[in-house]
Amino acid sequence: MTSIEAQFIDLHPTSKPLADKANDLFAQGVTHASRKMFPYPVYMERGQGPRKWDVDGNEYIDYKTGHGSMILGQAHPAVVDAVQSQMANGTHLSSGTRMEIKWAETVTRLVPSVEKLRFVSSG
């Protein structure tokens, strides 16, 4: 074992049993290919702004930011407030909503070349 590996293991002891359990549950032990690491993945506990903390309390700068989808960072107060407000109204209404109309109007205002659009999930 190299000194770098030993230091990694010393800094991330709580991630090891989580990785062992994940190996029994997920293909290659991870839910996304970019999370595969040697000797095992690091498990995160929380994030705030541009920083995140792993299950052992180590602090990181969050360069991945949700793989690019969270340009405002982790737990941005305006996003948290908006999500909490909407959660009180329901999480998946399986029908059109006023909010999707508002969203579409915002997109077409910001991107005037859009004639029609469709919202889909990816990944």
Side-chain angles (χ1 to χ4, degrees):
M1 177 183 311
T2 69
S3 62
I4 292 173
E5 289 174 84
Q7 184 178 10
F8 178 93
I9 291 167
D10 287 345
L11 287 171
H12 307 98
T14 308
S15 285
K16 174 67 168 129
L18 294 170
D20 290 342
K21 186 173 282 192
N23 277 324
D24 293 336
L25 297 168
F26 306 117
Q28 295 187 318
V30 292
T31 58
H32 192 285
S34 70
R35 295 182 186 138
K36 185 80 173 153
M37 293 176 63
F38 179 82
Y40 50 84
V42 175
Y43 283 78
M44 295 298 152
E45 188 75 25
R46 66 184 183 90
Q48 183 68 47
R51 304 204 178 275
K52 59 187 179 182
W53 290 263
D54 68 20
V55 294
D56 289 296
N58 299 302
E59 182 178 339
Y60 303 83
I61 296 173
D62 188 2
Y63 290 109
K64 291 183 180 180
T65 61
H67 307 287
S69 65
M70 299 181 339
I71 60 173
L72 298 177
Q74 299 282 347
H76 189 281
V79 175
V80 170
D81 289 345
V83 169
Q84 288 175 336
S85 175
Q86 183 56 44
M87 292 296 285
N89 294 322
T91 57
H92 194 304
L93 302 176
S94 299
S95 295
T97 66
R98 292 177 195 206
M99 290 303 295
E100 73 182 7
I101 300 296
K102 184 176 179 180
W103 184 18
E105 289 172 339
T106 300
V107 171
T108 57
R109 186 181 76 252
L110 293 171
V111 187
S113 61
V114 171
E115 295 177 17
K116 292 192 180 219
L117 53 101
R118 175 167 293 158
F119 300 123
V120 296
S121 180
S122 175

